Amino acid sequence: MLGTVTWWRLPCSSSESRMATIGSWAPGSGPTAVSPDRVASGRAYRRNEQTQTVSLVETPLAASEAHGLPAGAEVYARARLVKEGQQPTHCLTSYYRPEHVEGTRLVDPTPGPAGRGGGFRVLYDAGYEIDHMKEQIFARTATADESKLLQLPPGEPVVELHRTTYTADGTVVEFAIGVHAASRFAWEYKFQVPDSATEKENPQ
């Protein structure tokens, strides 16, 4: 798979989508992965549309498995709620090993993204350049707390995202769980199709 693109659906327009990628983190990048898309599409973006809390917690099972940590180990949890205007669109919690992020902006609870380029740029500056990631998504019924937090209409489902982010040597530098209002997002996947004829001619 070459990668994924997350499309952020405009309100009241089911036929039109705008791209909100996670790739704007490298040196010279824009403020965040979301704000350039907002600007390009003519939609306002304000720093206070992302609120967050940061805490040192006992790692949840999924995060401990992703990071290869024993049960009971502590990780930093950076929980964000993202809005467009007054409308919440999704919440996302990233789990980091303390040795990767202590002393960086990723443990700063100031509202808004973690500086220009967001969290991936912070990791890059700390010596952890992102090489590849794995994502799992699935739809499910929203919990009562999620419906309240995301201001969902009755019966609207959510799409849960699990993202594991790696450096080139396979080090996991982030495991994230996102909960997205289903009516606000669509995901597009691009795959490189293997050439079966070439594979037959050049068996490994």
Side-chain angles (χ1 to χ4, degrees):
M1 183 170 65
L2 291 181
T4 65
V5 176
T6 304
W7 297 85
W8 199 320
R9 291 191 181 277
L10 288 174
C12 304
S13 178
S14 60
S15 62
E16 183 177 7
S17 300
R18 295 289 184 181
M19 186 163 56
T21 71
I22 56 175
S24 302
W25 59 269
S29 64
T32 70
V34 173
S35 55
D37 168 64
R38 296 274 191 93
V39 173
S41 62
R43 293 141 64 208
Y45 172 79
R46 299 176 179 83
R47 184 176 179 85
N48 63 6
E49 289 179 337
Q50 177 176 310
T51 60
Q52 58 206 11
T53 58
V54 179
S55 54
L56 196 61
V57 302
E58 183 175 317
T59 178
L61 177 60
S64 65
E65 290 178 346
H67 281 288
L69 293 170
E74 290 190 325
V75 291
Y76 275 105
R78 183 169 178 254
R80 286 91 83 197
L81 175 66
V82 182
K83 299 181 179 180
E84 186 166 8
Q86 297 300 311
Q87 173 65 57
T89 59
H90 64 290
C91 56
L92 182 74
T93 301
S94 295
Y95 298 94
Y96 304 99
R97 285 176 175 258
E99 61 266 30
H100 291 163
V101 298
E102 281 182 335
T104 74
R105 294 190 303 274
L106 287 174
V107 295
D108 181 352
T110 301
R116 294 181 62 86
F120 289 166
R121 177 60 192 267
V122 176
L123 290 168
Y124 177 89
D125 290 342
Y128 302 103
E129 182 174 1
I130 305 306
D131 179 76
H132 61 282
M133 61 184 63
K134 176 177 66 176
E135 292 184 345
Q136 176 190 31
I137 61 171
F138 54 92
R140 61 171 174 80
T141 302
T143 66
D145 287 344
E146 290 166 347
S147 293
K148 181 178 180 180
L149 180 66
L150 298 176
Q151 300 176 16
L152 301 177
E156 178 167 345
V158 293
V159 177
E160 185 167 324
L161 165 73
H162 290 191
R163 181 178 75 210
T164 310
T165 306
Y166 304 83
T167 62
D169 66 3
T171 300
V172 174
V173 291
E174 180 211 37
F175 176 75
I177 298 177
V179 179
H180 301 71
S183 63
R184 304 286 296 175
F185 288 87
W187 280 260
E188 177 182 282
Y189 291 84
K190 296 181 180 180
F191 296 87
Q192 184 67 45
V193 178
D195 187 334
S196 57
T198 300
E199 290 182 352
K200 291 178 180 178
E201 293 172 1
N202 301 288
Q204 295 183 355

